[in-house]
C-alpha cells in the first residue's frame, strides 16, 4: 500500500517540487499556527472565544485561497478556450423543372453565422464540415461522386475563402445491405432507426479568422441535380493544438495541475506577506518616531505654558510687593520690621523656628 501511494505521489510530482515548495511550507505554517495556539492555551492568555475566532479566520483564509485558485483557472479557461463547435442548419434551395419534376439547378443556400459580434476566435484554426443525410435510395446509390462547394464572406460580402470537395456515399455490397436490413428490421419497423447515411464533407481543414474581416455568411452549394437528401447541416469545429488540445482532451488533469500551480503561487505570496508583516522592526521604528514627535510637541506646549505662568507670577509678585510697601508705610519702627519678617516667612515658609522666634520677640515688646 505504501509503495502504491509513493508511486502515485511520484506520478503527480516526479521532481518533488510540489512537496518541497507547496506541501512543506503549508505544513510549516500549520505547525506554527498549532504551536502558537497551544502556547496560548498553555499560558492561559487567550479565551475560548478568541481561539474560535482565530480558527475561523484561518479556515476562512484557507477557503478563500482555494476558491481564488479555482476562480483564476475558471477565468483563464473562459478567456483562453473558444467554443468547441458551431452548428447551423442549411436550408437548400433549387428551381424545379416543370417537365421532369426534378431540380433544374444545383441545391444551394446562404447560412448566416452572426450579424454583430465576432463568432470565431482570431488565431484559432477551425474545420468547416458540411454533413449531408442521404437516404439509401436507388437514385443515390447510382449517383456516384458529386462536388460540394462553400464560400466564406464577411459583413461587406467580400470573399474570404472558397473551397470545393468531392464526396459520395459509402459503398456496401447487396449482401451486406440485405444482412443489415434483416438484422435491424425491428428497429426500422418501430421507427427507431432509418436507412440513410450521413456523408461528412470537410470543406476547410484549417480556416483562420481575421480580426478586421470576421466571417458572417457561408454559401454552400451541392453540384448535383440528382442528389436526394434529408437534411444538410454546417459544422464549424475548433481544431485545438498545444495547450488548448491538452485542456480539451484531459480537462481533469489540466484542472488539477493548473489549480495546484495557482495554489502554490498564492501560498508563496501569502507566506512572503506573512513574514513581512510579522517582522515588527519597521513598526517599532515607526513607534519611536511617533513618540519623539509627541515629546517634542508636548515640550513645546509645556514651554509656552511655563512662560505664560511665569509672566502671570511676576505680575502677582509685583502687586504683592506694592501691597507690602503700603503696609510698611502704615506701620512704623520695629513694627514695620516685624511685619516684613512675618510676610517673608508667610510667603516663603522657611520654618517653624523662625516663626516661634518672631512670636517671642512680639511678646517681649508687649511686656515692655
Amino acid at each position: 500500500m505504501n509503495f502504491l501511494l509513493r508511486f502515485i505521489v511520484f506520478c503527480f510530482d516526479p521532481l518533488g517540487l510540489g512537496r518541497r515548495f507547496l506541501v512543506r511550507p503549508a505544513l510549516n505554517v500549520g505547525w506554527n499556527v498549532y504551536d502558537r495556539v497551544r502556547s496560548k492555551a498553555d499560558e492561559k492568555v487567550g479565551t475560548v472565544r478568541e481561539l474560535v475566532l482565530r480558527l475561523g479566520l484561518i479556515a476562512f483564509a484557507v477557503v478563500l485561497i482555494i476558491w481564488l485558485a479555482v476562480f483564476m483557472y475558471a477565468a483563464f479557461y473562459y478567456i483562453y478556450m473558444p467554443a468547441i463547435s458551431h452548428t447551423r442548419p442549411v436550408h437548400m434551395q433549387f428551381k424545379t423543372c416543370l417537365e421532369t419534376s426534378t431540380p433544374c439547378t444545383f441545391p444551394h443556400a446562404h447560412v448566416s453565422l452572426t450579424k454583430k459580434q465576432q463568432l470565431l476566435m482570431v488565431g484559432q484554426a477551425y474545420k468547416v464540415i458540411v454533413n449531408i443525410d442521404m437516404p439509401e435510395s436507388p437514385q443515390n446509390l447510382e449517383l456516384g461522386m458529386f462536388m460540394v462547394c462553400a464560400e466564406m464572406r464577411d459583413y461587406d460580402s467580400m470573399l474570404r475563402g472558397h473551397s470545393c470537395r468531392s464526396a459520395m456515399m459509402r459503398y456496401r455490397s447487396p449482401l451486406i445491405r440485405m444482412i443489415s436490413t434483416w438484422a435491424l428490421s425491428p428497429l426500422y419497423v418501430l421507427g427507431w432507426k432509418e436507412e440513410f447515411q450521413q456523408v461528412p464533407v470537410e470543406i476547410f481543414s484549417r480556416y483562420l479568422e481575421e480580426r478586421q474581416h470576421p466571417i458572417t455568411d457561408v454559401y454552400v452549394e451541392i453540384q448535383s441535380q440528382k442528389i436526394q437528401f434529408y437534411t444538410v447541416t454546417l459544422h464549424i469545429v475548433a481544431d485545438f493544438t498545444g495547450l488548448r488540445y491538452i485542456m480539451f482532451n484531459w480537462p481533469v488533469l489540466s484542472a488539477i495541475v493548473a489549480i495546484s500551480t495557482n495554489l502554490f503561487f498564492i501560498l508563496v505570496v501569502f507566506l512572503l506577506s506573512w513574514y513581512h508583516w510579522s517582522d515588527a522592526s519597521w513598526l517599532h521604528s515607526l513607534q519611536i518616531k511617533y513618540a519623539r514627535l509627541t515629546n517634542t510637541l508636548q515640550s513645546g506646549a509645556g514651554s509656552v505654558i511655563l512662560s505664560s505662568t511665569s509672566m502671570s507670577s511676576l505680575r502677582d509678585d509685583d502687586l504683592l510687593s506694592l501691597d507690602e510697601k503700603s503696609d510698611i508705610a502704615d506701620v512704623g519702627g520695629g513694627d514695620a520690621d516685624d511685619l516684613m519678617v512675618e510676610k517673608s516667612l508667610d510667603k516663603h515658609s522657611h520654618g517653624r523656628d523662625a516663626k516661634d522666634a518672631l512670636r517671642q520677640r512680639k511678646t517681649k515688646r508687649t511686656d515692655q
Side-chain angles (χ1 to χ4, degrees):
M1 186 65 182
N2 293 331
F3 177 75
L4 181 60
L5 182 60
R6 291 180 180 178
F7 180 74
I8 294 173
V9 172
F10 178 77
C11 291
F12 283 98
D13 190 13
L15 299 178
L17 298 177
R19 287 169 289 177
R20 183 180 301 173
F21 296 102
L22 183 62
V23 178
R24 290 181 181 175
L27 290 177
N28 292 331
V29 171
W31 280 112
N32 291 332
V33 172
Y34 174 73
D35 292 337
R36 290 185 180 182
V37 171
R38 188 175 63 180
S39 62
K40 289 285 185 179
D42 294 338
E43 295 174 0
K44 297 181 180 180
V45 177
T47 60
V48 177
R49 183 178 179 181
E50 184 181 358
L51 180 61
V52 172
L53 180 61
R54 290 190 177 185
L55 291 176
L57 290 176
I58 293 171
F60 175 75
V62 172
V63 173
L64 181 63
I65 289 172
I66 294 174
W67 276 108
L68 182 61
V70 175
F71 175 77
M72 290 174 61
Y73 174 71
F76 174 75
Y77 187 89
Y78 178 77
I79 295 172
Y80 186 69
M81 291 292 292
I84 299 172
S85 63
H86 303 279
T87 303
R88 297 290 188 275
V90 182
H91 304 288
M92 290 295 181
Q93 298 178 1
F94 55 86
K95 292 183 179 180
T96 306
C97 295
L98 299 178
E99 298 177 355
T100 59
S101 298
T102 57
C104 289
T105 57
F106 296 149
H108 61 276
H110 286 272
V111 182
S112 178
L113 297 179
T114 182
K115 293 182 179 180
K116 297 181 179 180
Q117 61 183 0
Q118 194 167 10
L119 183 65
L120 306 181
M121 179 177 285
V122 178
Q124 173 62 44
Y126 290 90
K127 293 181 180 180
V128 181
I129 302 172
V130 177
N131 292 325
I132 307 173
D133 296 337
M134 301 175 59
E136 295 181 347
S137 61
Q139 184 173 347
N140 282 336
L141 293 176
E142 296 176 359
L143 179 63
M145 298 184 67
F146 56 91
M147 296 295 292
V148 179
C149 298
E151 295 179 355
M152 313 288 283
R153 297 182 180 273
D154 59 4
Y155 55 88
D156 292 330
S157 298
M158 296 181 63
L159 183 63
R160 293 299 171 184
H162 175 77
S163 178
C164 292
R165 295 289 187 270
S166 61
M168 66 174 297
M169 295 183 66
R170 295 290 178 180
Y171 174 77
R172 294 196 305 170
S173 63
L175 179 61
I176 298 299
R177 287 202 305 272
M178 183 181 65
I179 293 173
S180 62
T181 302
W182 279 104
L184 300 175
S185 58
L187 300 179
Y188 293 144
V189 172
L190 294 174
W192 293 350
K193 191 172 179 60
E194 296 180 359
E195 294 182 280
F196 74 93
Q197 292 184 19
Q198 187 178 69
V199 180
V201 183
E202 186 175 325
I203 304 298
F204 293 95
S205 299
R206 293 185 61 83
Y207 178 79
L208 296 175
E209 179 78 331
E210 298 180 7
R211 187 181 299 276
Q212 291 78 12
H213 303 282
I215 298 302
T216 60
D217 183 80
V218 180
Y219 175 76
V220 180
E221 183 181 61
I222 301 176
Q223 296 181 355
S224 176
Q225 298 180 1
K226 298 181 180 181
I227 188 172
Q228 296 177 346
F229 53 84
Y230 290 141
T231 57
V232 180
T233 55
L234 177 67
H235 287 272
I236 302 176
V237 184
D239 187 15
F240 295 129
T241 56
L243 181 59
R244 288 172 178 166
Y245 180 82
I246 296 173
M247 294 175 65
F248 175 71
N249 290 279
W250 294 282
V252 178
L253 180 61
S254 60
I256 291 173
V257 173
I259 293 173
S260 301
T261 306
N262 293 336
L263 281 174
F264 169 72
F265 285 107
I266 292 172
L267 286 175
V268 167
V269 174
F270 179 77
L271 291 175
L272 292 177
S273 302
W274 177 270
Y275 290 141
H276 174 72
W277 288 103
S278 62
D279 186 8
S281 60
W282 65 274
L283 184 61
H284 184 64
S285 63
L286 184 63
Q287 290 177 353
I288 292 173
K289 291 180 181 179
Y290 178 74
R292 290 177 180 175
L293 180 62
T294 53
N295 291 330
T296 53
L297 292 176
Q298 289 178 359
S299 62
S303 62
V304 172
I305 293 171
L306 288 174
S307 62
S308 62
T309 54
S310 63
M311 292 295 292
S312 62
S313 63
L314 288 174
R315 291 176 183 176
D316 295 338
D317 293 339
D318 294 337
L319 292 174
L320 184 60
S321 63
L322 290 175
D323 293 338
E324 290 176 351
K325 289 179 180 180
S326 62
D327 294 337
I328 292 170
D330 294 337
V331 180
D335 294 334
D337 296 335
D338 296 338
L339 183 62
M340 288 292 294
V341 172
E342 184 179 2
K343 287 184 178 293
S344 63
L345 289 174
D346 292 337
K347 180 178 179 181
H348 298 286
S349 300
H350 285 167
R352 294 181 179 179
D353 297 335
K355 289 183 178 180
D356 294 338
L358 182 62
R359 288 175 184 175
Q360 291 177 1
R361 187 176 179 182
K362 285 183 177 181
T363 52
K364 287 180 180 181
R365 288 181 180 178
T366 54
D367 293 338
Q368 293 175 0

